[in-house]
Amino acid sequence: MRDHEIEAAWQGLVSCEQCQIRDLVLFADLAGDDFGVIHLPIEDLWLPPGAPLYQPGQVASHIYTVREGLFKLEQYLPDGNRRIVSLLGQGDVAGLEATVAPVYEHAAVALQPAKVCRIPKDVVARLSPKLHRQLMKKWHDAVQRSHECTRELSTGSARQRVARLFGLLAPASVRRCRLFGREDLGALLGITTETASRTVADLKRGGAVTEIAPNIFERDPAALELIAAEG
Amino acid sequence: MRDHEIEAAWQGLVSCEQCQIRDLVLFADLAGDDFGVIHLPIEDLWLPPGAPLYQPGQVASHIYTVREGLFKLEQYLPDGNRRIVSLLGQGDVAGLEATVAPVYEHAAVALQPAKVCRIPKDVVARLSPKLHRQLMKKWHDAVQRSHECTRELSTGSARQRVARLFGLLAPASVRRCRLFGREDLGALLGITTETASRTVADLKRGGAVTEIAPNIFERDPAALELIAAEG
DNA sequence: CGGGAGCTTGAGGAGGATCAAATCATGTGG
DNA sequence: CCACATGATTTGATCCTCCTCAAGCTCCCG
């Protein structure tokens, strides 16, 4: 039984000054000459769904900026089950704890095809005064994401939770979105795989979402919002 | 119908250098002469259960270090219901978003008799280079608390959730702990008030906890741990 | 073609929600 | 000091959602 490991593909070294999403990321406030200080390699990685960025307990040496795709942060329960405690999307930072703790505290795993850039924590430490404001913003984002997951995705009926998740999977202006596996869906919403499957099927039947390709959905925002708030 | 507001009592100005829990708080890293920079008043407040520190949308002008007691952070759902997204205890900081956002994002309300010290955000801004490390730690704590609430208190049966909450209400070495109202219990665990009440009564009948005074409990850690992890 | 993993669907039962009422604690005004 | 109103807590009865266990299904890969 060979271990079919899902791994990240190395894309190359990065020139942060030409980053397409500079205003979203940690280095947003840096000026031209600040980049001279970075003498450690910052790498660009591509990850397929299922590929882990890091595992809990692993020595925390890098932080990761999500450029594209979606990640889950999962932790384990006293009874051995796992629970997804947060989602990270474009502009979010995974592994921020590297700056204050010796090891990672979650498993961070891609849920959708993803691009990240991998920054050694020493680079962050060296630039830390210049990054102060952005670091605080990223921590703030992490807290907000987490509260969002509790508030929207762990409250109310299974139907409401799934509907709210569809609402969060892409900006409201975009009707199309990509979903992920039913098992992860369950671990994120605090329901079983079967209930997750049934509920998605139910929303499809009701027309709130339409599956136009495997796990690619067209959303009806009005219908979803109604379901998300129904008594 | 007069509005019976529950309010904070002013305790006096604080000398941070003599703080009893200095190693726990934001100012842990400051040296003697750093305190000279603080020219804005830092106040000590006492709050009874039910007293709010701040409300969502209110202009965020201060951050609060919890010296004693317990606070809830609550937010509102699309359907109008409220949900407690995090708990804060000794050493935690409430209202950290003041440093990066214009307004508060939660209601922060005392669940138990509490003491806090109130720090103007300008003081934090002025000291920010010196506080960098501790600020990052406090953000980290905020994220961990939030993930803890999702993982331990929003997963599994009502019985497991209540048992896990009892486990979190005080350090394992202390058997005694104080609980709060059933409505808040429900909003924290994502269950109804009635189920919260029934479940607490059930744990009492089973001997996992004993109520020795109104809402003061003696815990049986072994029994609680068993329940927390039961299939 | 066969095997396996993930997804779907079904039947049955348990746990929690809902609605309703009784109890208890608190504070208010007479 | 007592009668009463108010709100929180407890308890009960019923219904419905979701979990559990089990079986088929689809798709991909060897």
Side-chain angles (χ1 to χ4, degrees), chain A residues 63-127:
Chain A
I63 70 174
Y64 300 83
T65 293
V66 180
R67 301 173 60 80
E68 257 186 68
L70 190 67
F71 285 85
K72 62 175 174 181
L73 295 185
E74 56 182 6
Q75 291 186 321
Y76 295 88
L77 293 160
D79 62 8
N81 274 317
R82 62 198 184 80
R83 176 76 203 243
I84 297 176
V85 295
S86 203
L87 292 180
L88 303 180
Q90 189 174 64
D92 286 326
V93 175
L96 262 182
E97 65 261 41
T99 59
V100 291
V103 296
Y104 294 113
E105 288 151 2
H106 317 86
V109 181
L111 286 174
Q112 299 176 355
K115 276 189 199 163
V116 301
C117 60
R118 190 176 104 130
I119 308 169
K121 73 174 188 182
D122 289 346
V123 169
V124 178
R126 200 175 309 271
L127 289 168

Side-chain angles (χ1 to χ4, degrees), chain B residues 93-191:
Chain B
V93 176
L96 261 182
E97 64 260 42
T99 58
V100 291
V103 296
Y104 294 113
E105 288 152 1
H106 317 86
V109 181
L111 287 174
Q112 299 176 354
K115 276 188 202 166
V116 302
C117 60
R118 191 175 103 131
I119 308 169
K121 73 173 186 183
D122 289 346
V123 169
V124 178
R126 198 175 311 269
L127 288 168
S128 122
K130 301 250 182 192
L131 293 180
H132 184 77
R133 173 143 219 84
Q134 285 299 323
L135 274 171
M136 304 274 286
K137 273 215 180 101
K138 292 307 175 186
W139 277 114
H140 183 226
D141 289 346
V143 173
Q144 283 190 313
R145 289 267 170 290
S146 178
H147 289 173
E148 183 175 71
C149 283
T150 308
R151 181 167 30 91
E152 309 288 329
L153 305 180
S154 299
T155 313
S157 66
R159 199 175 151 76
Q160 290 176 300
R161 297 184 194 191
V162 173
R164 295 195 200 115
L165 174 65
F166 270 113
L168 294 174
L169 279 177
S173 56
V174 185
R175 297 176 68 87
R176 180 165 312 189
C177 73
R178 178 194 292 261
L179 197 60
F180 40 83
R182 300 299 176 264
E183 200 172 331
D184 283 323
L185 198 45
L188 175 64
L189 305 181
I191 59 181

Side-chain angles (χ1 to χ4, degrees), chain B residues 175 201-210 218-220 223-224 227:
Chain B
R175 297 176 68 87
D202 214 52
L203 292 188
K204 284 198 285 184
R205 273 190 289 276
V209 298
T210 316
E218 199 82 34
R219 307 177 291 171
D220 178 346
L224 287 173
I227 297 170

Side-chain angles (χ1 to χ4, degrees), chain A residues 47-58:
Chain A
L47 297 98
L53 275 184
Y54 51 78
Q55 296 291 340
Q58 195 177 312

